[in-house]
Amino acid sequence: ADGQLLIGKAWRAADSGTQIDAISPIDGTRLCGVAQALASDVNAAVAAARTAFDSGRWSRMAPAERKKVLHRIA
């Protein structure tokens, strides 16, 4: 989602409430907004990743399945 962070299974705005525009070097058009994450956002993302890893949802998932998840996010 434009200008949001994916933390856990949910897209949300950064705690800063701001985003940075990604600008095309080719023609100067705006490509998308990137959330300006704070340390609190990073801490939340790390905690969510640890929870997913410890639960086995991610750590025991087959590599091909992980690839599908990452492609959907991208």
Side-chain angles (χ1 to χ4, degrees):
D2 192 45
Q4 296 200 335
L5 303 169
L6 178 60
I7 298 179
K9 293 182 177 182
W11 289 99
R12 67 175 186 87
D15 287 341
S16 68
T18 61
Q19 64 180 359
I20 301 166
D21 289 336
I23 304 299
S24 169
I26 295 170
D27 60 10
T29 60
R30 180 185 181 275
L31 298 172
C32 65
V34 179
Q36 188 170 3
L38 298 176
S40 56
D41 297 306
V42 174
N43 291 338
V46 170
R50 172 51 63 190
T51 298
F53 184 85
D54 289 345
S55 74
R57 287 190 321 247
W58 186 257
S59 58
R60 291 192 291 263
M61 185 183 293
E65 292 303 309
R66 288 186 206 171
K67 177 183 173 182
K68 289 178 186 177
V69 170
L70 294 173
H71 277 274
R72 279 196 315 263
I73 293 169

